[in-house]
Amino acid sequence: MRRTRGLSAALATVLAAGLAAVATPQAGAISESVAFTADDLPTWQTNGIVWALAQADGVVFAGGTFSAVRPPEGGTGSERQAVNFVALDAATGAPTDCELSFTVSSGTATVRALAVSPDEETLYVGGYFGAVNGTAVSSVAAIDIDTCTPRGGFNAAFPATVRALAVTEDTVYAGGDFTSVSGQPRERFAAVDAVSGAVRPFTANVDEPGRAIEITPDGQHALLGGDFFTVNGQSSHALAVVDAASGAVERAYGSGFIPTTSVVKDIDTDGTGFYTGNEGTGGGVFDGRIALDLGTFDQRWRDTCLGATQAVESYQDVLYSASHAHDCSSVGEFPDGRRQHFLAQPTTSTAKLGWFPDSNDGLGEGIGPRALTVSSKNGVQYLWSGGEFTTVNGAAAQGLTRFASTGDVGAPTVPVIGADAAEPGEVKVRWRTSMDNDDSRLIYKIYRNGSSTPIGTVEADSVYWERPQASFTDTGVTAGSTYTYRVTASDPAGNTSALSATASVTVPKTAEPYGSAVLADGPNLYWRHDERTTPYVGDSSAGDLSGVMSGGPTLGEAGAITGNGTSYGFDGTDDRLYSDRRTTVGAAYSVETWFRTTTTRGGKLVGFGNNTTRNSGSYDKHIYMANDGRLIFGAYGGTTRTVSSGAGYNDGDWHHVVATQGPGGMTLYVDGARVAGNTSYTTHQSYAGYWRVGGDNLSGWPSRPSSDNFAGQIDETAVYPTVLAAARVAAHHEAASRQGDTVTSVQASEDTYVNEGSKGTAYGSATSLAVRGSSGYEAYLRFELPEAPAGTVLTGAALEVRTDSSATAGSADAVAVRPVTGDWTEAGTTWNTKPALGTATLGTLTPPAASSSNATTELDVAALRAALGGQYGVALTSAGTDALWLWSSEAPAASGTPRLILTFSPQ
């Protein structure tokens, strides 16, 4: 994950056959170093598979196994014949007037390799075919690019499929399935004269097909890739460096460098290195990429992602690859799961850059993309890909696609937001970071109470497999008041998401007993399970280690602790949570949660594993339940090591469980008391992974239950980087039963306003209320106040209002909140009959300047405390000249109507 920057270039509007006018892409910002946006451009499509790409002077050549091309989805034009070959304008994606047909008298003709001469005058085509536009050839042809005709005099004859080509000023190199060329023995690699096709002395015989060949920039060496195990009789599997003139082996790669179950499918070079794309079959394979130094031919780095790599393309210090990568956990990235068909990484490391266009697997072998090339036209660069895919970025696109260096138009996804407050004076606003396919670093703006001016800006990184929580702490809040928050995500080009949903939170007057006790002990994960929407699990700790729901746990069930919190219900089948950032666990840690169940099938409550949605291959540091309800805490220290409770806890009651491990061994606590431990169990398995709640693998563990998945409710999960002392465990358990603040929201039972300019008119049925000093408006609100809950006292009272949607709803003038002492009714009150007001000011409201925005003011608690259990009326008055328009209780959206937020704290 890296910072982002802008790239810009101009593209002239062009007209192409079969396409309407192509709009000029606008300059856009994309991830640092990445030269292309992830937005695919309209491109003509094939009806089959594209195996090879090459380019010259703004024209892209595509070869494969297809018979026709057609306009992109929604484009104009009609399908046209294209037998295994098409030439396309790099900037428009439409065919040029160069038409070539590659055919064979029997069998299926195909084009598998394309290469352009250094002077860009000749295109060399390899594959399996016997004629080009009726002119006899033998699996390799030389095409004059200017005239789009076969070059006479080039007479190389390859009796079997040619899969790879490379060209210098005077020589064409080929790799494939052949064992002779023009009647001369050449086993799977050969070189011929670029003009005549005469066989060169170059001899690099291998025992299995050749699939890739490149010439080093100095012209001295040929880089060979394929299935082979020997080169000129010398052991070298899948990769070798040979002399470009003689074919003599210069560097062999012996047993183990590339596994015997893997092959090299593609090779590319740049000024300092060369890069291999590898494919494997079966278990223990190597499917990724290797970077090697051109000076020494030694390995620079190795990317061990799984998911066969078909093509690599080095461009401006970035290596682009086409594969179906599905597991990059071995290099610290995404675990085994969904396939990603395009990746970008620096030529210096395995770290993936934030560029994630994608295709599907498509036809044939279900590989997806198979070829890459970069072309430039009118100052804009285009990355082209061909392959088996039939969709790109979720839309129909078969065989061909392209991405430009300008025109980033995709906005990030909308942030998923939450907010909480455990102590007076601050609110933690948190959100799951958004996804943008070509920007890993995004800018988030936080808005409070509907204001159009953000109260904060946060930059955060995210990639599709790791969308960690970002957060903002709002300290400009008043205890006892309620606040709403929304967040947007923008990329550096200015593409901005819609506003998030609204998160609402009331700031407590006194510290919330359980939450503040947990936070005081410094957790690096604290999931309160209070969400009401999927799939984001918010983290209330400073660690911002949020989670993701899978399987669909039930939200909003009764919680374990006293107060207003909720819990999640797990079905015992597939409901699980996982942390969305890969992490490690130190030598000391504690795991804590609450649960309630009657299951007799057991299951894992919480634990650590090396996968997310799938069962983990490494898994320990877990608390699980046996079928009889016993709780077992296990950590792997060379063997499975466990401690367990003697009693069962599947009795339908809420229970608190804490497991700790450190230098003092393993300890298990239930309901605040120690129930098991072992001082010699001090170690656990060290690996990078994810915290899991509700289920994961339990294979091989003692008393393994019938189910790996827990059926029941789970609440208040926390993980600490320290060993919690017994006294703190007991304190947490005790705090859960203590009453914190009780917050009650009371909507106005009646409201109206009066108008000095229309003294006899009553406005009790209006959906808005008005307040102004000059040419006066006054508003009146009546509330039915509850009694204080037993054992509590009113400690906070706040009035919350919201401006209506009119453009001039906001005001710059302060509004006084005063008690109403006279009689009034909603339906009958006018300016002429307005009630008397008390002289005291209960509070002063600072109105929002914008429409559809919230505002809150604290009121005199003593005045409202005396009125509990009865009616209480307040008036909104102003001495200013600016009108304030607020939603009334008659407004269609109840969330915007006036209300009192009452906070009752324990006595």
Side-chain angles (χ1 to χ4, degrees):
M1 298 179 287
R2 300 163 64 90
R3 285 191 172 272
T4 52
R5 62 177 173 81
L7 293 176
S8 62
L11 174 65
T13 301
V14 296
L15 286 173
L19 284 180
V22 178
T24 303
Q26 300 301 304
I30 50 185
S31 286
E32 183 182 13
S33 301
V34 176
F36 308 97
T37 78
D39 304 314
D40 58 297
L41 299 174
T43 307
W44 274 58
Q45 309 294 286
T46 70
N47 64 349
I49 298 170
V50 173
W51 296 98
L53 294 171
Q55 71 83 35
D57 195 26
V59 175
V60 173
F61 308 105
T65 311
F66 52 86
S67 61
V69 292
R70 63 183 184 276
E73 193 84 2
T76 59
S78 56
E79 183 174 281
R80 62 176 67 178
Q81 179 177 289
V83 183
N84 302 319
F85 176 87
V86 63
L88 305 110
D89 186 292
T92 68
T96 69
D97 58 4
C98 176
E99 297 184 7
L100 298 170
S101 294
F102 290 80
T103 58
V104 69
S105 58
S106 63
T108 301
T110 184
V111 171
R112 293 300 181 104
L114 297 167
V116 173
S117 61
D119 60 11
E120 297 195 353
E121 293 184 358
T122 305
L123 170 68
Y124 293 91
V125 183
Y128 179 71
F129 47 83
V132 183
N133 288 0
T135 299
V137 294
S138 183
S139 291
V140 172
I143 307 299
D144 181 84
I145 293 176
D146 187 47
T147 63
C148 189
T149 58
R151 283 193 181 274
F154 183 83
N155 297 312
F158 289 79
T161 303
V162 172
R163 301 181 180 275
L165 292 171
V167 187
T168 65
E169 291 181 356
D170 59 4
T171 303
V172 178
Y173 295 84
D177 301 347
F178 52 86
T179 57
S180 66
V181 179
S182 299
Q184 298 187 42
R186 292 291 188 274
E187 295 184 10
R188 301 175 182 88
F189 285 103
V192 300
D193 184 86
V195 176
S196 68
V199 180
R200 296 284 199 192
F202 176 89
T203 301
N205 293 331
V206 301
D207 56 334
E208 295 290 344
R211 298 185 181 273
I213 187 165
E214 286 290 330
I215 307 304
T216 56
D218 62 7
Q220 299 302 304
H221 299 92
L223 311 171
L224 311 182
D227 301 7
F228 52 83
F229 291 87
T230 62
V231 182
N232 291 338
Q234 183 173 343
S235 177
S236 189
H237 175 54
L239 181 66
V241 181
V242 301
D243 183 83
S246 68
V249 177
E250 298 284 346
R251 175 66 180 269
Y253 296 89
S255 175
F257 185 78
I258 294 175
T260 58
T261 52
S262 298
V263 302
V264 170
K265 296 297 292 287
D266 193 26
I267 298 174
D268 195 35
T269 65
D270 59 21
T272 64
F274 66 102
Y275 310 90
T276 69
N278 303 268
E279 176 184 80
T281 303
V285 302
F286 173 56
D287 269 349
R289 293 153 291 282
I290 304 174
L292 301 102
D293 187 78
L294 276 176
T296 63
F297 304 127
D298 291 337
Q299 177 178 299
R300 182 188 297 161
W301 52 255
R302 180 178 294 237
D303 185 336
T304 53
C305 288
L306 294 175
T309 304
Q310 302 298 311
V312 287
E313 182 77 15
S314 173
Y315 182 72
Q316 293 184 353
D317 300 322
V318 172
L319 185 68
Y320 299 89
S321 57
S323 69
H324 57 266
H326 59 87
D327 185 355
C328 287
S329 57
S330 61
V331 291
E333 296 170 336
F334 52 90
D336 194 14
R338 59 165 282 192
R339 291 183 168 192
Q340 178 66 43
H341 294 86
F342 296 105
L343 296 173
Q345 60 198 108
T347 54
T348 55
S349 81
T350 64
K352 307 305 180 293
L353 300 171
W355 180 77
F356 301 109
D358 203 11
S359 74
N360 65 350
D361 291 342
L363 309 169
E365 297 177 38
I367 293 293
R370 285 189 172 273
L372 297 170
T373 196
V374 175
S375 186
S376 178
K377 189 169 184 180
N378 300 328
V380 177
Q381 291 73 48
Y382 299 89
L383 176 65
W384 280 70
S385 181
E388 299 178 344
F389 51 82
T390 58
T391 66
V392 176
N393 290 338
Q398 182 172 346
L400 288 166
T401 192
R402 61 200 174 100
F403 310 94
S405 59
T406 60
D408 182 9
V409 297
T413 59
V414 178
V416 182
I417 183 178
D420 64 0
E423 306 210 16
E426 65 180 42
V427 171
K428 181 175 183 177
V429 185
R430 44 181 166 73
W431 58 94
R432 187 185 189 199
T433 47
S434 298
M435 177 61 196
D436 187 272
N437 281 338
D438 44 27
D439 292 286
S440 55
R441 171 147 292 199
L442 300 174
I443 303 103
Y444 299 89
K445 293 182 179 179
I446 303 94
Y447 300 87
R448 183 175 62 198
N449 290 345
S451 172
S452 59
T453 301
I455 60 170
T457 299
V458 172
E459 290 190 14
D461 291 315
S462 58
V463 287
Y464 81 83
W465 68 87
E466 190 170 278
R467 293 173 55 187
Q469 177 174 292
S471 62
F472 175 82
T473 300
D474 183 9
T475 56
V477 295
T478 302
S481 295
T482 298
Y483 297 88
T484 60
Y485 298 90
R486 302 182 82 179
V487 175
T488 61
S490 301
D491 65 22
N495 300 310
T496 301
S497 73
L499 282 162
S500 71
T502 300
S504 179
V505 62
T506 299
V507 184
K509 281 284 187 179
T510 59
E512 193 256 294
Y514 186 81
S516 61
V518 170
L519 291 172
D521 287 319
N524 49 18
L525 178 156
Y526 183 21
W527 296 348
R528 307 212 67 179
H529 304 297
D530 290 339
E531 284 75 25
R532 297 300 181 97
T533 58
T534 60
Y536 164 63
V537 183
D539 181 13
S540 296
S541 81
D544 281 336
L545 190 57
S546 54
V548 180
M549 305 172 197
S550 66
T554 302
L555 311 185
E557 297 199 354
I561 64 172
T562 301
N564 299 319
T566 63
S567 68
Y568 295 171
F570 294 79
D571 63 6
T573 302
D574 61 356
D575 292 347
R576 298 178 174 185
L577 316 177
Y578 61 89
S579 57
D580 56 5
R581 188 170 76 242
R582 188 179 170 96
T583 187
T584 56
V585 180
Y589 65 94
S590 301
V591 182
E592 176 178 34
T593 198
W594 289 77
F595 68 92
R596 179 165 67 180
T597 187
T598 58
T599 186
T600 57
R601 300 180 66 246
K604 184 177 293 192
L605 292 164
V606 58
F608 194 71
N610 69 342
N611 215 322
T612 52
T613 57
R614 300 186 182 186
N615 269 355
S616 296
S618 296
Y619 44 97
D620 74 334
K621 296 172 278 293
H622 47 210
I623 303 168
Y624 61 95
M625 179 175 281
N627 289 345
D628 58 6
R630 288 179 301 116
L631 294 172
I632 301 171
F633 170 38
Y636 189 82
T639 61
T640 57
R641 294 172 175 174
T642 62
V643 296
S644 62
S645 67
Y649 295 94
N650 53 347
D651 53 12
D653 293 331
W654 279 108
H655 294 286
H656 176 232
V657 58
V658 177
T660 70
Q661 187 178 32
M666 296 171 64
T667 307
L668 180 66
Y669 300 87
V670 180
D671 294 337
R674 183 183 185 276
V675 298
N678 189 306
T679 57
S680 64
Y681 293 169
T682 60
T683 61
H684 60 83
Q685 188 176 2
S686 178
Y687 56 95
Y690 309 85
W691 286 104
R692 306 281 297 265
V693 172
D696 196 4
N697 204 346
L698 283 170
S699 177
W701 283 84
S703 301
R704 184 185 184 185
S706 300
S707 174
D708 290 344
N709 298 287
F710 179 76
Q713 292 167 255
I714 298 178
D715 198 9
E716 301 288 332
T717 302
V719 177
Y720 306 81
T722 58
V723 171
L724 285 180
R728 293 306 301 159
V729 173
H732 288 195
H733 181 255
E734 184 275 332
S737 59
R738 276 194 280 125
Q739 177 68 54
D741 286 352
T742 299
V743 178
T744 301
S745 174
V746 182
Q747 291 191 339
S749 58
E750 292 185 276
D751 55 22
T752 189
Y753 74 97
V754 296
N755 178 2
E756 186 178 18
S758 185
K759 297 182 178 181
T761 303
Y763 296 94
S765 61
T767 59
S768 296
L769 305 171
V771 184
R772 185 171 63 194
S774 61
S775 185
Y777 298 124
E778 289 183 0
Y780 311 108
L781 311 170
R782 179 176 286 121
F783 297 93
E784 303 287 342
L785 300 183
E787 295 281 2
T792 70
V793 63
L794 184 71
T795 55
L799 174 66
E800 181 181 290
V801 295
R802 184 175 177 84
T803 52
D804 69 21
S805 57
S806 58
T808 57
S811 173
D813 297 331
V815 172
V817 183
R818 300 168 61 190
V820 178
T821 57
D823 293 332
W824 64 281
T825 64
E826 183 179 72
T829 300
T830 68
W831 183 271
N832 290 330
T833 63
K834 63 181 183 175
L837 307 181
T839 58
T841 299
L842 301 173
T844 300
L845 179 73
T846 301
S851 60
S852 301
S853 299
N854 287 13
T856 303
T857 183
E858 289 286 301
L859 302 182
D860 185 329
V861 173
L864 270 75
R865 188 181 295 151
L868 291 176
Q871 293 185 340
Y872 195 75
V874 298
L876 305 182
T877 67
S878 173
T881 60
D882 195 6
L884 173 68
W885 290 91
L886 307 171
W887 290 120
S888 77
S889 60
E890 280 73 27
S895 61
T897 62
R899 59 178 182 160
L900 286 177
I901 308 299
L902 305 177
T903 301
F904 299 93
S905 300
Q907 290 182 308

